[in-house]
Amino acid sequence: RLHGGGGGAVTLIPSIPILGVTGPAGAGKDTVARILQDRGWAIVAPMDRSKMFLLDLFAPQGLEARHLWGNRAAKNEAIPGLNGQTAAWLMHHFGTECVRGLWPSAMAMDLYRRIIGVQRYGWRGEAPGLLGPVPDLDRRPVFGMIPRYPLPAPVGIVCPGIRREDEAESVRHAGGQIWRIVGRSEPPGGKGERHPSEAHVSKIVADREVSNAGTLEDLRRVVEGVLAASGAERPALEGT
């Protein structure tokens, strides 16, 4: 149990595993998160709140949820209403240069609060005022969306896109571990390599390295093997 700012006790889901996922651009961080999501894990990403702000602001110009939470092709799709700019461009200038660049501790603290929110409120955390409703996208539960139907407690919480040590520390402070995805990345000189936050990724201390050097099924087997070896998932919740 933790104590909230109002003095009330916060009852957490017991023994829920928490994982932060880091690695270079193109390593497969979101892919690992989706593999865990298929097993009943909730995704809580550092950039979710910034993406919600961008969606609210630029939806009239044609920005859609798929541009922000979709695959790499969707994130790099030119949006005519934004003068041909992409969601990746927006996230770089707002999320990286503005939020992460100027107020990194604020993003790290926000991540910690949202992890605790899922532990307290369950799968799609019904904590008022943290995030507004967002569209379903590829079954991804974005924390803060008010459920339209009953959902079981998540098997665990995975936080993909950890790019700074203070974000990693938020995961650890909530009782989690950090996985570094290795074996795959963008070609040298790619956009990710020039991403300012990439300089911080290599400095993050990871608890475990997960190899992504083969196919999607190979990665799935590696993730399942690591989970089995570490005993991360609670058997009582598997299949929920």
Side-chain angles (χ1 to χ4, degrees):
R1 293 168 71 85
L2 298 176
H3 289 274
V10 177
T11 301
L12 304 182
I13 300 170
S15 304
I16 185 170
I18 302 167
L19 293 175
V21 184
T22 190
K29 301 180 289 293
D30 287 336
T31 304
V32 168
R34 286 193 292 270
I35 289 172
L36 292 171
Q37 181 190 33
D38 288 341
R39 298 174 67 85
W41 290 55
I43 297 176
V44 179
M47 281 291 292
D48 277 341
R49 189 188 297 278
S50 296
K51 290 178 180 181
M52 279 302 307
F53 174 83
L54 292 172
L55 184 61
D56 286 343
L57 188 63
F58 293 112
Q61 284 73 39
L63 183 66
E64 302 175 13
R66 67 182 182 87
H67 294 129
L68 296 164
W69 284 280
N71 58 27
R72 185 172 293 248
K75 292 176 181 178
N76 288 289
E77 179 182 320
I79 303 169
L82 292 175
N83 297 323
Q85 297 292 357
T86 67
W89 183 90
L90 283 175
M91 288 187 286
H92 167 74
H93 286 279
F94 179 75
T96 300
E97 293 188 350
C98 182
V99 181
R100 269 189 172 121
L102 297 177
W103 302 287
S105 61
M107 179 171 280
M109 179 56 68
D110 174 68
L111 175 64
Y112 174 75
R113 291 201 311 132
R114 288 188 289 120
I115 292 171
I116 297 302
V118 172
Q119 288 181 299
R120 178 179 183 181
Y121 294 99
W123 186 268
R124 293 193 184 180
E126 207 170 334
L130 292 182
L131 283 179
V134 299
D136 280 330
L137 182 73
D138 193 27
R139 298 177 294 107
R140 175 173 180 175
V142 177
F143 169 60
M145 178 176 179
I146 297 177
R148 291 190 292 273
Y149 46 87
L151 289 165
V155 172
I157 299 170
V158 57
C159 307
I162 300 297
R163 286 183 168 272
R164 296 179 60 98
E165 178 59 30
D166 48 4
E167 295 167 9
E169 188 58 29
S170 290
V171 173
R172 297 189 196 100
H173 191 59
Q177 293 189 347
I178 302 299
W179 284 8
R180 185 187 308 279
I181 313 303
V182 298
R184 186 188 300 272
S185 63
E186 283 189 344
K191 180 183 289 188
E193 188 178 87
R194 300 190 300 270
H195 199 288
S197 60
E198 287 295 304
H200 298 278
V201 169
S202 61
K203 301 176 184 178
I204 294 174
V205 178
D207 298 286
R208 186 181 294 269
E209 290 192 345
V210 176
S211 175
N212 180 22
T215 66
L216 175 60
E217 286 308 310
D218 291 334
L219 179 59
R220 191 181 302 276
R221 284 191 289 270
V222 169
V223 169
E224 291 172 351
V226 173
L227 290 174
S230 63
E233 291 181 333
R234 295 190 297 159
L237 287 183
E238 286 204 29
T240 57

